[in-house]
């Protein structure tokens, strides 16, 4: 599998979500988080998505730590984790 640049991966994911008729409100939420993730990656000098990058992002920005992933999370915590899981799933499966 050829790795895509994070920006290209996010752009492709956005197109898929639009194709699946995600609401404009949902898209605004995701776009804000994607901008934050892109800035986080840029600050670290990373151009590609990795699970580690995603985990470090939610730890830094939302104080959701990897050790907490197995406990019952609040709805807002689950939403924040969904950001990185969607990108990871899309990277692996294009869906």
């Amino acid at each position: 599998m050829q790795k895509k640049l994070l920006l290209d991966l996010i752009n492709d994911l956005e197109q898929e979500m639009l194709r699946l008729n995600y609401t404009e409100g949902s898209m605004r939420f995701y776009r804000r988080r994607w901008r934050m993730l892109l800035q986080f990656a840029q600050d670290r000098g990373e151009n590609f998505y990795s699970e580690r990058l995603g985990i470090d992002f939610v730890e830094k920005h939302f104080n959701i730590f990897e050790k907490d992933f197995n406990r019952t999370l609040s709805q807002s915590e689950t939403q924040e984790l969904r950001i990185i899981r969607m990108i990871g799933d899309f990277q692996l499966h294009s869906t």
Side-chain angles (χ1 to χ4, degrees), residues 3-61:
K3 286 182 118 177
K4 285 186 183 181
L5 292 172
L6 177 58
L7 179 59
D8 293 339
L9 182 64
I10 288 172
N11 286 335
D12 290 349
L13 174 56
E14 179 178 18
Q15 292 309 306
E16 178 65 5
M17 291 171 70
L18 291 170
R19 185 187 74 76
L20 294 170
N21 295 315
Y22 274 67
T23 66
E24 185 55 38
S26 291
M27 294 307 298
R28 276 194 303 272
F29 171 80
Y30 285 107
R31 288 176 185 131
R32 278 192 307 271
R33 295 306 189 261
W34 293 335
R35 281 191 300 272
M36 291 171 65
L37 177 61
L38 286 165
Q39 184 62 57
F40 181 76
Q42 182 180 348
D43 291 348
R44 290 171 48 138
E46 296 190 38
N47 296 311
F48 298 97
Y49 184 76
S50 67
E51 185 177 1
R52 181 79 263 154
L53 176 70
I55 290 168
D56 291 350
F57 171 73
V58 295
E59 286 183 351
K60 178 177 189 302
H61 286 279

